[in-house]
Amino acid sequence: MTATTATTPRAGQQRARILDAAQACFVRDGFHAASMASIAEAAGMSAGLIYRYFESKNAIILAIIERQLRDKLDNIAKLAEDPDIARKFVDFFGRLRRGDPDVVNPALLLEIGAQATRDPQIGAAMAHSDRAAAAALGEWLRQITRARGLALDDAGIRARGLALQCLFDGLAMRAVKDPDLDPALLAAALAAVLPQLLASDPASPHSRETAEP
Amino acid sequence: MTATTATTPRAGQQRARILDAAQACFVRDGFHAASMASIAEAAGMSAGLIYRYFESKNAIILAIIERQLRDKLDNIAKLAEDPDIARKFVDFFGRLRRGDPDVVNPALLLEIGAQATRDPQIGAAMAHSDRAAAAALGEWLRQITRARGLALDDAGIRARGLALQCLFDGLAMRAVKDPDLDPALLAAALAAVLPQLLASDPASPHSRETAEP
Amino acid sequence: MTATTATTPRAGQQRARILDAAQACFVRDGFHAASMASIAEAAGMSAGLIYRYFESKNAIILAIIERQLRDKLDNIAKLAEDPDIARKFVDFFGRLRRGDPDVVNPALLLEIGAQATRDPQIGAAMAHSDRAAAAALGEWLRQITRARGLALDDAGIRARGLALQCLFDGLAMRAVKDPDLDPALLAAALAAVLPQLLASDPASPHSRETAEP
Amino acid sequence: MTATTATTPRAGQQRARILDAAQACFVRDGFHAASMASIAEAAGMSAGLIYRYFESKNAIILAIIERQLRDKLDNIAKLAEDPDIARKFVDFFGRLRRGDPDVVNPALLLEIGAQATRDPQIGAAMAHSDRAAAAALGEWLRQITRARGLALDDAGIRARGLALQCLFDGLAMRAVKDPDLDPALLAAALAAVLPQLLASDPASPHSRETAEP
DNA sequence: TATGAATGAGCGTTCATTCAT
DNA sequence: CATGAATGAACGCTCATTCAT
């Protein structure tokens, strides 16, 4: 009880140390297969000590999940300040390949998604994060499309936001399936979808093709 | 040893029964949390008997993974026969919500992706499946774009294929995050991306926007 | 679940084996200090196997408690068939000193009493056993006193039953405090209380002494 | 080493504080289940500090046990000054039900008895306390029976003393089994045994009944 | 072929105890 | 004198796997 609410600087540092170690273990082994002993070893402390700072292994998993979802939301928020999202994704792949620990880990994101279908608490956290992401993306889309002289109603914004979210999440899976993806190819792929999504008129002739099989 | 290579009809049936049971357990509990006992119970047999047909739990996981990847590949192959992929995805969501057991399970797909980063064997299987999917998609893209009067070089095909794969995988994550997604909204989102991807000229003015921030 | 309800002969034997081993460990170490490993060793099996027959250590403790309380109740029931309860108690001490495993263990009885104040389930089991014992003792008292020409109302029966129960329970504590108690001394002590309790008129002059300090 | 022998006033107060806290925890949780952390919290100090005043948790248990046995002995000594022991017991039940912390706790007494069969040190302490109690009771019995004109030899004194001890200890178990016992019923039960024990001639006709089944 | 009893290693967790501060 | 961070050895329990029947 006091464990999770301790707020001394020391406690905060220890909690951070544990979370960093846990994240490394979770990335390497998965939530379930990572043992408290391995986390303790990675954190350079005894297993028992972890319980002074976290109630249970599950609490650590949840903290990691919340941190990852928060980081992901931050990334989306930062898109608003920099409209060149294609370059953002290319950069993301580069940092991931270099093993940058601060990057949101795609394997973890996938596992979180899988767990969200089983653990209601995780599911709620993910749903909440997702709604926030959708709102942020929608607001950004409204601004950028208006700036480009495109008038979209709410439904149009939601549809394009959804498409963008699918694209983003799909890139996480891509990072897992092919971490050495050629940056130029990725850039080309993004160039093939993003422009229309951000600017073209959905009422143009092309857009009706799928509706006329 | 010979267990996994037994080829009598009986053995094949048993293996299928076990795999069906295992898949249900894996979807419900995850690879790690599903116990051999629960799989045996779901398969209506004793735990010991499973070892006559599979060397280990890991072998079952691998078989399930291969089956899921094969099913996914089949789905992609079927796209070639029916160009209305948007409707395919809407249908997919509908079947998923109705609990159709034959549909490729998104939660499993995510977990497979996560495991692929840890287990080289799974990683290889996934990479192989992914390359095959890319090839199939590429061939289909080449045909459909040519039919629409669009001449794309190899790089263009690869780029659009990659974009499509991201979109497909992103829909799996979407199914997990929001299984009750409004079909109309999904259709609109797909209508906003697919047409250009399948027909528009990548050299059009719009497509160069992201390259000129 | 099925563990506690398995009813094959084999399962019954195993359960009995575990209970016997557990009882020996509980007598030697106490409920809490006895480890599952020690019980397993005493039962000649692995610790994990115990869980096929009992849901938890607590379930074993409860089973032992219920068995002890049942045995104790049986002992009281047998008193009714043999009015020489003094000799019964002397015999009890003799068997206890000889280490007879079938005798209700006094140390265990004391620990059960202590636990009954903490665990509601144990408390309920003990209260139930105690009420049954009081009823049996009361019925026996009614018969024996009537046979001796003593007419006692309900209150009188209850009072003497209560006194008897205190005496019995006190003998358990005595067995713990002084297991080598001289049988002759015990017999004399019982001879000093039992006769009046079972036959004398409570309205006799002597009986009012404590009421007139 | 010197920890347990420190004799400054401060040290004495601290030790008392720890013992009071420990007793409350032991009553609530039992010797084994009470943790040093909970004792420290109840005592309003850190867990580490306790080790300045007691060598180990076991030393605390032993101190508590000795204190309880000493208190119990005091109670018996006080009987000598007030012959109305029946009222004493009724009072005891009343105080127990009101949660008076100064009363010897019956649950603790039972647990001490159980531990006495396992730990030789506790067994010795209990045996010593028991012998002292028997001696005090014997002396008191000698006086009270003589005052009532009853000449008892040593064997007679010992026998009645033993009977009394059983009765007392049985009341501890009674307090545990039925803490809400009706005071009137208890008084009646005591009235049914005590008078004969304290005054009647053991050679009277009734006393030979159990010897002639 | 099929069972399910049995094992043993490992899991998450607790806690008496120590010690640097 | 006093703290509470830290340890390490247990603990109760689970489960993939084996094997006699």
Side-chain angles (χ1 to χ4, degrees), chain A residues 115-141:
Chain A
Q115 290 292 354
T117 66
R118 295 161 197 146
D119 183 322
Q121 204 173 358
I122 297 177
M126 193 167 207
H128 176 263
S129 163
D130 192 52
R131 275 192 302 271
L137 264 182
E139 188 52 36
W140 176 71
L141 264 174

Side-chain angles (χ1 to χ4, degrees), chain D residues 2-193:
Chain D
T2 58
T4 57
T5 57
T7 50
T8 64
R10 168 91 179 158
Q13 284 177 350
Q14 293 282 63
R15 284 176 61 89
R17 233 170 99 203
I18 293 168
L19 288 182
D20 288 343
Q23 176 153 336
C25 292
F26 290 154
V27 166
R28 196 186 56 218
D29 303 325
F31 287 135
H32 221 102
S35 72
M36 289 298 283
S38 71
I39 294 173
E41 192 191 335
M45 63 178 67
S46 73
L49 186 54
I50 293 182
Y51 285 83
R52 192 169 287 274
Y53 300 102
F54 291 92
E55 268 188 344
S56 66
K57 182 183 174 182
N58 225 26
I60 299 180
I61 294 177
L62 213 66
I64 289 286
I65 287 177
E66 279 165 359
R67 199 166 79 164
Q68 290 279 306
L69 295 178
R70 209 180 315 125
D71 287 357
K72 202 184 167 223
L73 213 50
D74 284 352
N75 286 346
I76 288 175
K78 281 184 200 151
L79 285 182
E81 303 158 6
D82 173 8
D84 190 356
I85 57 181
R87 207 198 49 206
K88 272 265 166 70
F89 279 115
V90 175
D91 284 355
F92 168 80
F93 264 77
R95 292 170 64 193
L96 192 67
R97 183 161 35 223
R98 286 192 303 272
D100 184 337
D102 289 338
V103 91
V104 174
N105 188 278
L108 224 43
L109 229 42
L110 297 191
E111 196 155 14
I112 291 171
Q115 289 292 357
T117 66
R118 295 161 197 149
D119 183 323
Q121 205 173 356
I122 297 178
M126 194 166 206
H128 175 264
S129 162
D130 193 51
R131 276 192 301 273
L137 262 183
E139 188 52 37
W140 176 70
L141 263 174
R142 192 179 311 275
Q143 288 177 9
I144 213 167
T145 51
R146 187 178 304 155
R148 297 179 185 193
L150 198 63
L152 290 173
D153 58 3
D154 269 13
I157 290 288
R158 272 206 302 275
R160 291 174 180 225
L162 179 60
L164 270 181
Q165 279 191 296
C166 288
L167 208 58
F168 293 175
D169 289 335
L171 282 165
M173 185 65 98
R174 185 58 21 205
V176 157
K177 285 180 173 174
D178 189 4
D180 297 322
L181 179 64
D182 175 16
L185 178 58
L186 174 60
L190 291 168
V193 263

Side-chain angles (χ1 to χ4, degrees), chain B residues 117-182:
Chain B
T117 66
R118 294 162 197 148
D119 183 321
Q121 206 173 356
I122 297 177
M126 194 165 205
H128 176 262
S129 162
D130 192 52
R131 276 192 301 271
L137 261 183
E139 188 53 37
W140 177 70
L141 263 175
R142 192 178 312 273
Q143 289 176 9
I144 214 168
T145 51
R146 187 178 304 154
R148 297 182 184 190
L150 199 62
L152 288 173
D153 57 4
D154 268 12
I157 290 287
R158 272 207 301 276
R160 290 173 181 227
L162 179 61
L164 270 181
Q165 278 191 298
C166 288
L167 209 57
F168 293 175
D169 289 335
L171 282 164
M173 184 65 97
R174 185 61 19 207
V176 157
K177 285 181 174 175
D178 189 4
D180 297 322
L181 180 64
D182 175 16

Side-chain angles (χ1 to χ4, degrees), chain A residues 10 14 46 49 52-53:
Chain A
R10 172 82 179 173
Q14 292 283 65
S46 72
L49 185 55
R52 186 173 288 275
Y53 301 102

Side-chain angles (χ1 to χ4, degrees), chain A residues 49-68:
Chain A
L49 185 55
I50 293 182
Y51 288 84
R52 186 173 288 275
Y53 301 102
F54 290 92
E55 269 188 345
S56 65
K57 182 184 174 183
N58 224 25
I60 298 180
I61 294 178
L62 219 64
I64 290 286
I65 287 177
E66 278 163 2
R67 199 166 79 164
Q68 291 279 308

